[in-house]
Amino acid sequence: MAQLEAREVPLHKVFCSDYDFRIPDYQRPYAWETEQAEQLLADLEEALFRGNGEPYFLGSLVLVKDSRTADADVIDGQQRLTTLTILLAVLRDLAQQPDVVTNLVAMIAEPGNTVLGLKAKPRLTLRPRDADFFRQYIQTLGSIEKLLDLNPHTLKTDAQRALQANARVLHAKLTTRTDEQRLALCTLMGVQTFLVAVSTPDLDSAHRIFSVMNSRGLDLSPADIFKAHVIGDIDDDASETYATRWEDAEESLGRDDFSDLFLHIRMIFSGERARQELLKEFQTQVLDHYKRGRGKDFVDDVLVPYAEGFAVIRDQRYSAGDGSDEVNLWFRRLLQLDNNDWWPAALWALRHHGDDPEWLCSFFGSLERLAASMFIRRVYTTPRVQRFAELLKELSASTGLGSPSLQLTERERAETLHRLDGDVYYETRTRRYILLRLDELVAEKDVMATYDAPRITVEHVLPQNPGPGSQWLADFTVNERAQWTHRLANLVLLSRTKNSQAQNLDFAVKKEKYLKRGVVTFPLTTQVLGQDTWTPVLLEKRQSELLGLLTSEWRL
């Protein structure tokens, strides 16, 4: 059996000659987005702010590594190691003290030691396609400014664009900090920040370890442990009944959604974002209110009602008379967002106003407006969760629909509109949501837009790269194409089966391609079919109309 070693390692011992990290070429490319990089920095700075001297754990690494050598193939942990290297590089290039620069340079790259037989080389080597880029623009002293100056459209891979984007956001954040604050962050990272390194010399063993560490439902979940506490506190005569009620709730949601439910309940009770693991916080913030024989109350008043509410939202099956369809429509819209931070507020509303569809329509309309604005503005996790936490506090204080946190400030409205008026196509995570909302708004009022296609894609009308001799080149100058190609007015929704067929055809032919039998017809796309030409003048008018619809809908 392969020897397994697992130990807590401070970052200054992770980024040292003990490890020579390599990303095998069979691994996926670097893919962390700016939200995750910002969250990593925010978590580190929060640990620094607490200032309690406690170790801060960043998670685990799974390595193929013989204990007798430094060579370490990274099976799990590439994204974290790469982002930490970017963060160290930004700190290195911003540092003013020579000794700090020297120390950070040594964490990023082995300087070499003839006596010890160590060659100068990076601590981390990425996949072959991106290794030279990473070495030149991140691991080399003074390279960050050069990286930030590169045109992202000229970079060769998505990984290189992600490296630049994350360096840019981390650099922007850290330039606002003082030298002393950056030094304190370096000290925290080097001494108090730990990774758990799990290593084995055998590749198959490493993959088994990775699978076990990332499997769901094999070991006891937090929900299982909470169940033991709660049901164990109920008298013998009723414990079986309440155990059944608990299990029915879990079965109705499924194990994964049931686990998420406890995260949402914790937020509802605490009104603040998580700072420790759920096992600790749920006990103190929720279950401590149901001690000494009150386990029944937790099941009756909290678990079952919120589980039922979760199912209603997830399955869009609210039913309470007139207005129910509109409430379910708001659920459908919210569920298309790329995060679930809005769930606790939605569950609270359903729990406290479930018999009032008119109130719920007003509330969920405002909630979707807030959530959509933060989504479009790419507000990252920490401030997004804090906003919803403040909203929960205000709702608990009976501020209701007038809750300040539910409203958008003038600055937030302006930034949302600015994003909507920009190159929306490049916003890959938000463009589909924006266009689906627009599609509803351009539909006839008495016809509900439906989306039955298995996949829905976003397509350009004016193509990105018109072919030689194309009519597009006659109708649009180079500057006009740069101005309009990726903005709302030039984008439509298609089913996936149509996306490859439209290509770079001229407008008249392209319209016919959209009309082929079996293609889902979107009201937004149908508008395009009614046009005889597609010109800069038409696009300017269309852009104004579409922005007007969104401005009215979201009260921007």
Side-chain angles (χ1 to χ4, degrees), residues 120-223:
K121 57 185 175 182
R123 302 284 184 207
L124 171 65
T125 301
L126 296 195
R127 297 163 72 253
R129 259 191 106 179
D130 302 307
D132 288 339
F133 181 90
F134 192 59
R135 185 180 300 114
Q136 179 180 356
Y137 289 108
I138 290 172
Q139 293 170 306
T140 303
L141 177 62
S143 60
I144 294 297
E145 288 292 344
K146 297 176 185 177
L147 173 64
L148 301 186
D149 288 338
L150 295 177
N151 183 341
H153 302 304
T154 66
L155 301 183
K156 296 180 179 179
T157 67
D158 288 340
Q160 291 175 13
R161 284 184 280 274
L163 291 168
Q164 186 198 49
N166 289 337
R168 179 173 285 121
V169 297
L170 293 174
H171 186 270
K173 294 284 184 183
L174 289 169
T175 51
T176 66
R177 311 298 190 257
T178 65
D179 288 339
E180 291 76 14
Q181 290 171 328
R182 291 194 292 264
L183 177 57
L185 180 61
C186 291
T187 302
L188 171 85
M189 291 177 65
V191 179
Q192 290 175 233
T193 303
F194 290 73
L195 288 166
V196 176
V198 181
S199 58
T200 173
D202 178 70
L203 178 60
D204 290 337
S205 178
H207 278 295
R208 284 196 299 273
I209 295 165
F210 172 68
S211 297
V212 170
M213 291 176 69
N214 288 275
S215 64
R216 297 290 301 272
L218 297 179
D219 299 321
L220 284 176
S221 70

Side-chain angles (χ1 to χ4, degrees), residues 241-260:
T241 298
Y242 277 86
T244 300
R245 296 197 71 194
W246 185 294
E247 290 158 9
D248 287 346
E250 180 172 6
E251 185 176 342
S252 71
L253 295 185
R255 191 171 177 85
D256 288 352
D257 284 347
F258 191 65
S259 294
D260 288 344

Side-chain angles (χ1 to χ4, degrees), residues 33-107:
E33 298 188 352
T34 54
E35 179 178 350
Q36 293 157 303
E38 287 180 304
Q39 189 64 51
L40 174 66
L41 177 58
D43 289 344
L44 287 166
E45 291 190 318
E46 183 172 299
L48 180 63
F49 178 75
R50 287 198 298 269
N52 53 18
E54 293 183 358
Y56 180 73
F57 288 91
L58 274 178
S60 60
L61 305 173
V62 178
L63 311 171
V64 175
K65 182 182 183 300
D66 190 310
S67 59
R68 295 166 296 183
T69 72
D71 295 340
D73 282 356
V74 180
I75 305 303
D76 184 43
Q78 173 200 175
Q79 308 296 326
R80 197 175 300 111
L81 281 174
T82 306
T83 309
L84 284 169
T85 302
I86 299 171
L87 178 55
L88 290 169
V90 172
L91 288 166
R92 174 202 65 201
D93 286 2
L94 290 175
Q96 300 297 314
Q97 307 93 323
D99 59 325
V100 174
V101 174
T102 299
N103 291 330
L104 290 172
V105 166
M107 289 182 73

Side-chain angles (χ1 to χ4, degrees), residues 430-461:
T430 62
R431 66 192 186 194
R432 183 177 179 272
Y433 186 84
I434 294 167
L435 285 164
L436 283 171
R437 291 291 279 117
L438 261 179
D439 203 59
E440 288 185 58
L441 297 174
V442 302
E444 294 181 28
K445 292 184 179 179
D446 60 342
V447 178
M448 181 62 67
T450 57
Y451 307 101
D452 299 325
R455 295 295 298 272
I456 298 172
T457 58
V458 176
E459 172 73 30
H460 296 85
V461 179

